[in-house]
Each structure stands twice: as structure tokens, then as C-alpha cells.
Amino acid sequence: GQQLNQSPQSMFIQEGEDVSMNCTSSSIFNTWLWYKQDPGEGPVLLIALYKAGELTSNGRLTAQFGITRKDSFLNISASIPSDVGIYFCAGQLGGSQGNLIFGKGTKLSVKP
Amino acid sequence: DAGVIQSPRHEVTEMGQEVTLRCKPISGHDYLFWYRQTMMRGLELLIYFNNNVPIDDSGMPEDRFSAKMPNASFSTLKIQPSEPRDSAVYFCASSFGPTGILGYGYTFGSGTRLTVV
């Protein structure tokens, strides 16, 4: 089946540092979404992207829909302890009306 | 809106026992998804429904797993008999349309943490 390659798998950073993670695929996507999962909870939507090249911010978070439509990245600036969790990318394949495909997640740990 | 409601939050059961997980989707959503999350495999889609009809169950690992959606406001995922390797967090999610309203994706429940001993 189609896969999203999400990297890195995990990150250990110091509070205040910036974070960058990305998702890539060999296929074209219509939509890219980024979710965050807090410990013990379900994933919650952070940012949704709909057009190639689109750059969207949500507070300290910034995400971009890659020009080739095959990738997306998420940046977190000035990390704080509550940024801890697992971040998932998800997307809908181009030319399909199918359900979302999820990446395997990036686990973020922040040291105070 | 109470969101997607799952029960129980935690379940500990002995190997061989039947386990039933429950989900109430958001009212008005026409898609319902069951996922399993483990450290090794991440989020795996098990099955999804559209208007209460199962559309794709190719992710269901074995015949021991079954899911039903008798009406628009309730779904169950049953494991019979359960095995230790079924231990995981099971999530239910719902959406309006296959990718959510305006493509805003799915709303997830808080999950059921299943431990089979």
C-alpha cells in the first residue's frame, strides 16, 4: 500500500530549541495534515494544508505543503515542555477520494 | 460537542477472553474508523465504515477481530479470543466525508488501552 515516510522517528531537544520534522512519499497528495498526540490521548489536528507551496502557521507551529506535492514539513519554534508528544503527518492521495494515510509519527521529547 | 467517545479507557483481560471496545462517533459524521497503535507499528487502520456499512476491513489482523456499526451513533470492535499480542491502544475516529469537512481530517477518541495477560 501507499506509505508516508516520516522522519525523524524521535527527537530529544532542549527547551527553547527549534524543531523540524517532515513527511515524504513517492506519490502525489491532495491534502497534508499534521496531528499531535499528547500522552494518553488521541491525535488532535494542528494544521491542514491544501495547495502545493502553501505555508501555514498556528502559533509557534509552521507547516508547508511541498511544491512537488510529495512532501510536507512541520516546524516548531522555541519549544516548550508541553510540546512533548507524537506528531503525525497524514494525507489524501492525489486523484483519489479515499481516506487519509498516516505516517508512523515523530516522538518529541523536550528537556526543561 | 462531546467529541468521539470511547469506552472503556483501560481494559485488562486474560488471554482467551472476549473483549469488546465501544465507540460513539460525533453526531452527523458519516465515516467511522478503528485504529490500533503500538510502538512497533504506529497507527494501523483496522477497518472503516461509511454510513454504517463496512468499506474496508483489510487491516483487521485476523478472524479473531470483528467490528460492527449497528447504527450511526455506535460501533464496537470485538476480539475473541484475545491474545497477549493484541495489547495496544485502540482508537476510534470519525469524520464527515473521507477526509473530514473541508479536508480537516478525523476527530479521534481518547482511546482504549488494552492489556491482555
Side-chain angles (χ1 to χ4, degrees):
Chain A
Q2 299 294 336
Q3 281 195 328
L4 290 180
N5 301 308
Q6 188 170 352
S7 65
Q9 195 171 19
S10 62
M11 303 180 75
F12 295 85
I13 63 168
Q14 200 75 36
E15 182 178 0
E17 290 182 357
D18 295 343
V19 173
S20 185
M21 59 191 78
N22 67 81
C23 265
T24 61
S25 176
S26 57
S27 301
I28 289 174
F29 281 76
N30 287 333
T31 304
W32 285 99
L33 305 171
W34 285 93
Y35 284 81
K36 183 196 177 194
Q37 182 182 19
D38 287 326
E41 297 296 331
V44 173
L45 183 68
L46 296 173
I47 291 178
L49 303 159
Y50 305 110
K51 293 192 310 184
E54 181 180 355
L55 186 72
T56 298
S57 293
N58 178 2
R60 293 178 297 106
L61 276 60
T62 301
Q64 184 159 28
F65 194 138
I67 290 290
T68 64
R69 296 174 62 194
K70 295 182 179 181
D71 60 355
S72 177
F73 72 75
L74 175 71
N75 286 343
I76 305 173
S77 63
S79 58
I80 58 178
S82 63
D83 290 334
V84 163
I86 302 176
Y87 292 79
F88 291 98
C89 63
Q92 183 190 44
L93 280 171
S96 82
Q97 295 298 316
N99 52 285
L100 296 175
I101 298 170
F102 281 81
K104 291 197 179 300
T106 294
K107 185 174 182 180
L108 179 63
S109 301
V110 179
K111 289 180 281 188
Chain B
D1 188 348
V4 175
I5 299 173
Q6 291 186 246
S7 64
R9 284 298 308 267
H10 301 275
E11 177 81 36
V12 180
T13 190
E14 290 186 348
M15 182 173 63
Q17 296 296 307
E18 177 180 294
V19 175
T20 299
L21 312 181
R22 297 173 175 79
C23 176
K24 177 178 168 55
I26 290 174
S27 177
H29 281 186
D30 57 348
Y31 279 77
L32 183 140
F33 306 84
W34 282 101
Y35 285 87
R36 178 171 68 176
Q37 185 178 33
T38 60
M39 291 291 289
M40 292 296 293
R41 295 172 175 263
L43 267 178
E44 298 177 275
L45 177 64
L46 300 177
I47 184 172
Y48 75 94
F49 296 82
N50 177 215
N51 291 322
N52 314 337
V53 175
I55 302 300
D56 184 352
D57 65 354
S58 60
M60 296 285 260
E62 305 170 30
D63 290 346
R64 297 184 297 106
F65 286 69
S66 62
K68 294 182 180 179
M69 192 165 185
N71 57 62
S73 59
F74 184 64
S75 177
T76 60
L77 177 68
K78 186 176 294 188
I79 308 172
Q80 165 64 18
S82 57
E83 296 182 4
R85 59 192 167 121
D86 301 331
S87 298
V89 182
Y90 291 80
F91 287 104
C92 174
S94 72
S95 68
F96 183 73
T99 59
I101 295 175
L102 302 179
Y104 273 7
Y106 309 155
T107 301
F108 284 80
S110 296
T112 295
R113 180 173 293 276
L114 174 65
T115 303
V116 183
V117 297

